[in-house]
Amino acid sequence: MESKVNYTLVGAFVLLMSSLLIVFAFWLGKYNDNANAYCNYKVYLTESAAGLAPEAAVKFNGVDVGKVASIRINPKNSEEIELTLKVKKETPIRTDSTAMLQFFGITGLAFIEIKGGSRMSPLIITSDDTIAVIPTAPSLIKRLDETLSSVITKLSGTLDHTNAVMSPQNIKNFSDTLGNLKILTQRINSYQDEIDLLLKNSLQTGQHIDQAMIKVGDSANTVKGSMETFKITMSERLSPTMKSWEATSKKTNALLEKIDTSINRGDYDLQTITANSTVELNELLAQSRVLQNEMELTLKSLRESPSDLLFKQSKLNPGPGE
Amino acid sequence: MKQIALLITIILLFTGCSVIRPATYEYTILPSYTPISELTNNIKGTLKLSSTRSIASLASTQFYYLKETSSIDAYLYSRWADTPSSMIDRALYSSLQNQHLFGTLIPSTSSATADLTLESDLNAFYHCFHNDSSSEGLIDITYRLIDPKTKTTIASKRFIITEPSPSEDAKGGVTALNNATHNLSLQCISWLTLTLKESKWTK
């Protein structure tokens, strides 16, 4: 039996399949991607980029807006991972937007989530020459890691303090304190009768104080009456004395004023009173000095020749030209 | 006997009193009365002249002469009428009055206070004889200008004035010391003018 092959159909099938293969190849090579419809952004992660691969999705508040174009270690800073994101031009990435690493459930696959950005903030401007950088925020894993690390550190410190507080010595001291408290309580219980008696006595003392206060009040009234009587007596008897005293005081005051006026007027100014006398005294002293010198000379001559008093025997020494 | 003793005593006394001695001359230094034609009072303050203090031997009216051998003696028949210090004071006071240098001049005898006080110490007022038989009048005096309010010395100067004597006797000495005193007054006034120039008391 000889099969009949329709070569026309085969040829058409081959052409169709070839065309589809070419279309698939173009699709696979993303030939139809419009490069002008995307903008490039840089993101620098400071945490591990494990799970993130090129072509991974970039989401803006959960909406796919692009993909990760490249991943590499920042050549200028080895602590950072440099991501280049290809994001649709119409995506409103603003200056306060942040990019963070997110994971798809428990699969371990990661993507980049861009969040935030208030409506009033300006858009980030990027170009091929100057690629803008989107700030990063720590991912949930990193935040959990940091929080847990902090909690563990604090917990460890707390445990250390607790250990220090609960030292054998402190436990012993606390035990001793409880023992002492027990003894104290027992003693207080043994003094219960005395305490009751003391309270009764206090009550009686209070009553006595009340009675005493009543008596003190009566005494005060008596003293008040006596004081009023004394006041009346004193005012009657002292009044003339005080009046006499006042008159004397006035006279003394007037006398003092007169003395003050005299002093101010210079009546008792010793310097003025003695001024003339001082001048005359100075003159007298000067003259006395001259007289004293003359007397000294006379006495000197007499001492040298006492007989001169009667006989004038010493020879006088006349001066030049005398 | 008593009468004889009394008689002898009286005779002896009269014998002492009967000694005849030449008359003693008294000299003085007259102040300058030369009138000044132009008033020169350019110091607004008042000046009080304190009495000149002198060494003990000059606080008398004895007229001393000095020889080159440093021996000092007094003329027997010549005396000063006043002490040298008072004569110098009077001469300076008179010269200052004639000069009209100060607004008011207060003598030492006044009880009034002044803006300035002039004190002085007299160390020499002698008629000096030299070996060559020449003589001169010598005055050595130090003046101090005092601010009586603050009791501080404004200035001080020592003057040693010598003037030749025209004759080698007491009369010549008087003439020399007279000239020296007037010269001293003029020099003192010049010193005061220079000292108080451009001071707060200058007009």
Side-chain angles (χ1 to χ4, degrees), chain A residues 38-42 89 124-133:
Chain A
Y38 289 91
C39 290
N40 287 329
Y41 292 93
K42 294 274 186 190
K89 272 189 176 178
I124 293 177
I125 297 168
T126 185
S127 66
D128 291 337
D129 298 330
T130 312
I131 299 173
V133 176

Side-chain angles (χ1 to χ4, degrees), chain A residues 254-310:
Chain A
L255 180 64
L256 285 172
E257 281 179 0
K258 281 181 183 175
I259 290 170
D260 189 42
T261 309
S262 297
I263 287 170
N264 289 337
R265 201 167 50 217
D267 292 354
Y268 305 108
D269 188 1
L270 284 175
Q271 197 172 0
T272 309
I273 291 166
T274 58
N276 293 327
S277 306
T278 307
V279 172
E280 287 175 5
L281 194 63
N282 283 337
E283 280 183 25
L284 185 63
L285 284 171
Q287 288 173 5
S288 300
R289 197 177 171 205
V290 174
L291 183 62
Q292 182 196 347
N293 274 341
E294 298 284 349
M295 286 176 71
E296 275 182 9
L297 286 170
T298 308
L299 288 171
K300 186 181 171 188
S301 64
L302 278 175
R303 194 162 51 242
E304 287 170 355
S305 176
S307 61
D308 280 0
L309 189 62
L310 293 177

Side-chain angles (χ1 to χ4, degrees), chain A residues 14-250:
Chain A
V14 168
L15 285 174
L16 180 66
M17 288 307 291
S18 298
S19 300
L20 285 173
L21 187 66
I22 290 165
V23 169
F24 178 73
F26 274 101
W27 175 80
L28 197 64
K30 299 179 177 56
Y31 186 77
N32 61 341
D33 276 0
N34 187 1
N36 293 330
Y38 289 91
C39 290
N40 287 329
Y41 292 93
K42 294 274 186 190
V43 170
Y44 293 97
L45 292 175
T46 54
E47 56 187 300
S48 170
L52 188 69
E55 299 296 324
V58 175
K59 294 175 182 285
F60 184 87
N61 290 336
V63 178
D64 281 336
V65 290
K67 58 188 176 186
V68 177
S70 69
I71 300 171
R72 65 170 184 170
I73 295 167
N74 185 2
K76 295 176 184 173
N77 184 0
S78 60
E79 294 177 353
E80 289 178 342
I81 306 295
E82 185 187 87
L83 307 180
T84 306
L85 307 184
K86 207 170 211 178
V87 180
K88 287 179 183 171
K89 272 189 176 178
E90 64 269 18
T91 310
I93 299 174
R94 300 181 187 276
T95 51
D96 54 351
S97 299
T98 53
M100 67 173 72
L101 197 66
Q102 295 278 40
F103 294 91
F104 289 108
I106 56 169
T107 58
L109 295 174
F111 65 96
I112 296 297
E113 173 84 13
I114 298 171
K115 280 190 173 179
S118 64
R119 197 174 54 184
M120 303 306 290
S121 300
L123 291 168
I124 293 177
I125 297 168
T126 185
S127 66
D128 291 337
D129 298 330
T130 312
I131 299 173
V133 176
I134 303 171
T136 54
S139 64
L140 179 63
I141 299 283
K142 190 178 182 185
R143 277 181 282 152
L144 277 172
D145 180 39
E146 286 174 354
T147 309
L148 280 173
S149 296
S150 173
V151 168
I152 287 166
T153 306
K154 287 179 181 175
L155 199 60
S156 174
T158 308
L159 284 171
D160 288 343
H161 289 305
T162 308
N163 280 337
V165 170
M166 297 301 284
S167 67
Q169 182 63 40
N170 284 351
I171 290 168
K172 184 178 179 299
N173 291 341
F174 186 65
S175 176
D176 292 344
T177 305
L178 287 176
N180 290 336
L181 196 63
K182 185 182 175 185
I183 293 165
L184 184 66
T185 311
Q186 285 172 351
R187 286 195 177 174
I188 289 170
N189 280 334
S190 66
Y191 288 121
Q192 197 63 45
D193 294 338
E194 283 83 353
I195 290 168
D196 289 342
L197 185 62
L198 189 65
L199 286 172
K200 281 179 185 174
N201 288 339
S202 300
L203 198 64
Q204 286 176 356
T205 307
Q207 288 171 354
H208 291 158
I209 287 170
D210 286 343
Q211 291 170 1
M213 287 306 290
I214 291 166
K215 287 181 181 175
V216 167
D218 295 342
S219 302
N221 286 333
T222 310
V223 170
K224 189 179 175 187
S226 302
M227 284 303 291
E228 282 177 357
T229 310
F230 179 73
K231 189 177 169 186
I232 292 162
T233 308
M234 289 300 286
S235 64
E236 284 175 355
R237 292 193 179 176
L238 278 181
S239 182
T241 310
M242 291 303 288
K243 281 178 183 172
S244 171
W245 201 354
E246 188 182 355
T248 309
S249 176
K250 281 179 181 174

